[in-house]
Amino acid sequence: MILDGKQIAGEIQQEIKQALSSGHTRMPCLAVVLVGENPPSVIYVNRKTKACAEVGIKSIKKELPANIAEKALIEEIEQLNNDPAVDGILVQLPLPHHLNPMNVIQHINAEKDVDGQHPENLGKLFMGDTDTFAPCTPLGIKVMLERSNIDVSGQHVLVIGRSNLVGKPMAALLMQTGPGANATVTVAHSRTKNLKEIAMTADVIIAAIGQPKFVTADMVKPGAVIVDVGINKIDDSTKGTGYQIVGDVDFDAVKDKCSYITPVPGGVGPMTIAMLLSNTYKSFLRRQAIKSQT
Ligand code: GUN
């Protein structure tokens, strides 16, 4: 069965739109910082700002030159930190190579870090604090599984990939106590030995390794749940565009062996955006509450 991330994300966007439709004196505001013109990043940023407009969140797109100095980028972030009208700040990754993402991201005010990448928020996540901003893709996967009534408690979940954006926080979220968690988590990566044997014991596989069709049918236990985070562009002369977008899972081969699978596109991607809106709304509510107390 298809896990329809697009539909679930649409429901969440409707809920946020509804909640914002009355009783607020201003709109929430998200600032998205894009350095350079990396084509996928340009597309993702445009999707994010478009989704903001659809639910009633204002967005500011800060487009900065690829050769910007780290100091100048940090100054831009500090301006957004100090702007009382800005509730959320996201620096689109990857950054050009001369910029150190860790140096840059730690300058975002953790209370506006709706992307969940600040060390304070990642630290809280690892310590089991649920009242933090969790990174949007792993949070979206957790929410999608919960809303699809797929209970991971006690299940063996294999996360393939160890990035700061997906693999590591995904593992942290799933091993928490509480609803939608309590999983037994294995994190595999490019150096993992016997991956096929490990994968065959997994009840849920979350593929976030960035390699087209990496998860093949012989790696999947019958009835497993498959979540595909990959977005890979591969040459395909049969398409008018000359390419096609595929995930990290060999969808056609795996779909009849598993119980649930997310499509690419239309699975995890829309959930990432829905969680960005949700985190921005959460930041807005928190900041309004603090303002009304002072
Ligand atoms: N690049 C790809 N996905 C993401 C994301 O969720 N957040 C940021 N900041 N950059 C990304």
Side-chain angles (χ1 to χ4, degrees):
M1 220 163 108
I2 297 289
L3 268 178
D4 195 340
K6 196 171 171 187
Q7 187 185 329
I8 298 168
E11 288 162 13
I12 293 167
Q13 287 193 202
Q14 270 314 109
E15 289 162 21
I16 296 170
K17 187 174 177 176
Q18 183 67 33
L20 283 171
S21 64
S22 62
H24 298 292
T25 51
R26 70 168 176 93
M27 287 166 93
C29 176
L30 171 69
V32 183
V33 179
L34 175 63
V35 182
E37 290 166 4
N38 171 34
S41 292
V42 171
I43 295 172
Y44 299 149
V45 164
N46 286 340
R47 282 193 193 145
K48 288 170 185 179
T49 53
K50 182 165 170 265
C52 281
E54 281 165 8
V55 301
I57 293 176
K58 188 175 170 232
S59 64
I60 299 170
K61 194 158 56 165
K62 275 241 173 253
E63 292 170 296
L64 301 170
N67 63 356
I68 191 169
E70 198 162 283
K71 190 164 170 279
L73 174 57
I74 290 166
E75 278 167 17
E76 294 281 352
I77 291 171
E78 278 166 356
Q79 268 183 27
L80 297 169
N81 286 341
N82 294 332
D83 184 342
V86 171
D87 300 292
I89 303 170
L90 175 147
V91 176
Q92 186 68 23
L93 300 172
L95 288 171
H97 291 300
H98 69 285
L99 300 167
N100 178 334
M102 209 132 67
N103 283 351
V104 171
I105 285 166
Q106 68 184 358
H107 283 88
I108 298 173
N109 177 349
E111 287 170 17
K112 295 189 179 186
D113 170 39
V114 291
D115 202 28
Q117 288 295 302
H118 190 283
E120 185 177 318
N121 288 321
L122 281 171
K124 282 182 176 174
L125 174 67
F126 274 79
M127 295 181 85
D129 184 346
T130 51
D131 192 26
T132 179
F133 294 119
C136 299
T137 299
L139 180 62
I141 293 169
K142 179 172 181 252
V143 170
M144 178 177 63
L145 293 173
E146 279 185 285
R147 289 199 178 212
S148 307
N149 295 315
I150 296 169
D151 185 6
V152 298
S153 176
Q155 302 275 300
H156 179 203
V157 181
L158 171 64
V159 179
I160 310 178
R162 54 178 160 179
S163 67
N164 291 335
L165 270 171
V166 186
K168 280 186 256 181
M170 185 79 255
L173 274 173
L174 293 172
M175 66 175 134
Q176 314 269 31
T177 57
N182 286 310
T184 303
V185 182
T186 300
V187 181
H189 47 78
S190 53
R191 304 279 178 95
T192 299
K193 288 183 182 156
N194 305 328
L195 179 60
K196 184 181 162 205
E197 285 72 22
I198 297 168
M200 285 296 293
T201 70
D203 303 302
V204 180
I205 297 178
I206 300 175
I209 197 153
Q211 289 189 35
K213 304 188 185 185
F214 181 83
V215 175
T216 47
D218 61 342
M219 295 167 72
V220 172
K221 181 168 86 169
V225 173
I226 308 294
V227 177
D228 191 349
V229 185
I231 303 179
N232 308 293
K233 199 171 170 182
I234 58 167
D235 292 340
D236 183 348
S237 57
T238 68
K239 303 272 187 251
T241 52
Y243 67 86
Q244 63 164 313
I245 300 293
V246 297
D248 289 356
V249 177
D250 185 355
F251 182 90
D252 289 332
V254 168
K255 70 177 192 309
D256 296 325
K257 201 168 175 194
C258 59
S259 56
Y260 291 93
I261 186 165
T262 61
V264 176
V268 173
M271 290 302 299
T272 298
I273 292 180
M275 292 305 104
L276 177 63
L277 303 176
S278 170
N279 278 350
T280 304
Y281 177 55
K282 179 171 157 182
S283 175
F284 167 73
L285 290 183
R286 272 193 193 167
R287 289 163 45 75
Q288 296 285 94
I290 291 166
K291 204 171 151 209
S292 68
Q293 282 164 14
T294 52

